[in-house]
Amino acid sequence: MKLVVTIPAFNEEKTIGKVIQEIPQKIPGITKIDVLVIDDGSSDSTSGVSRKFGATVIRNTSNRGLAQAFSRGVAGALEMGADIIVNTDADFQYNQAQIPLLVKPIVDGKSDIVLGSRFRGKIEHMPLHKKLGNQLVSLLMRTITGIPLTDSQTGFRAFSREAALRINIFSDYTYTQETILEAFDKKLSILEVPVDFRKRDGPSRLISNIFVYAKRVGLTILSSYLNYRPLKVFSFVGALMFLAGTMFGLRVLVHYISTGLVSPYLPSAVLSALLLIVGFQVVIIGLIAEIMKRSRKVQEEILYYERKNVLKK
Ligand SMILES: Nc1nc2c(ncn2[C@@H]2O[C@H](COP(=O)(O)OP(=O)(O)OP(=O)(O)O)[C@@H](O)[C@H]2O)c(=O)[nH]1
Ligand SMILES: [Mg+2]
């Protein structure tokens, strides 16, 4: 089995060499190991250093964002004939000696995706706001998927070839939650193993402002969820409007039955009619989105077979 380790990197010349060097040369069940660095328009010598340490490099001429780089890395690894893909960060925070832990469940045929959980392993240093943010997002992902996830934001993960062929990323910022939601929707199995996490040397390339980051992560989860469960979301919103409309309507009806008049409650009557009509339309939009989801599923199935065919091993 061939393993390709993908490393999205943005201005990481100081650490990328150490990361590549730390990748084990031998892993049980693996016959060949290649490293693929996706240099996302770095202004430093990330590409040069990576090549010096023996990695294959894909270089974007401008910065296109981590999610796009991850996607490009997965496609590149498939083109290189990977049976298993391990994605890791270029900042030397994960310990590459633990790659065999991620790979094993896939080699053994026990899982399609393995996530390295920092919260099950040892964390040398993580600022409190990141710790809380990570745990909050994991709680949200646990609630949505029902999978006992403790670290849905980890950048240290392994994918089987089958999972890599099926997953599509739409976000251009972060891939971490979207891959999990995609896998969940496609009924791929996900497993967590404990991994260690070192202190970052230098500033984060991804998170300049925690509030902006939280907003972008929130929007990514919402838009992914909307994609997978459109009827659930729209019928929930529609039902709330319908309920409010019915309550206002009842108020008008009760008054009309007892006095024969509507006029004192005219604003309530108008509001009730509006809420009932819009609520109904929101449910209809949900139904249309659900129909569109079906056709998206067919398109994704075609994409899967097309990829499989083009990237035949
Ligand atoms: N390709 C690409 N990679 C990026 C970009 N931003 C960050 N990265 C890489 O993604 C990985 C994770 O980024 P970090 O800056 O370490 O973010 P983080 O680990 O969430 O945050 P820290 O806890 O501060 O390290 C690193 O390998 C970065 O080089 C980007 O715009 N494009
Ligand atoms: Mg990091």
Side-chain angles (χ1 to χ4, degrees), residues 89 91 93 197 200:
D89 284 354
D91 55 2
Q93 285 192 273
F197 195 56
R200 196 189 214 289

Side-chain angles (χ1 to χ4, degrees), residues 43-87:
S43 53
D44 66 5
S45 54
T46 295
S47 286
V49 176
S50 305
R51 282 196 198 94
K52 203 175 97 195
F53 282 89
T56 304
V57 175
I58 295 175
R59 186 176 149 73
N60 291 338
T61 47
S62 59
N63 184 258
R64 297 184 194 162
L66 178 56
Q68 198 276 347
F70 169 79
S71 252
R72 186 70 195 87
V74 168
L78 288 171
E79 280 165 27
M80 289 161 76
D83 296 295
I84 299 178
I85 300 168
V86 164
N87 185 82

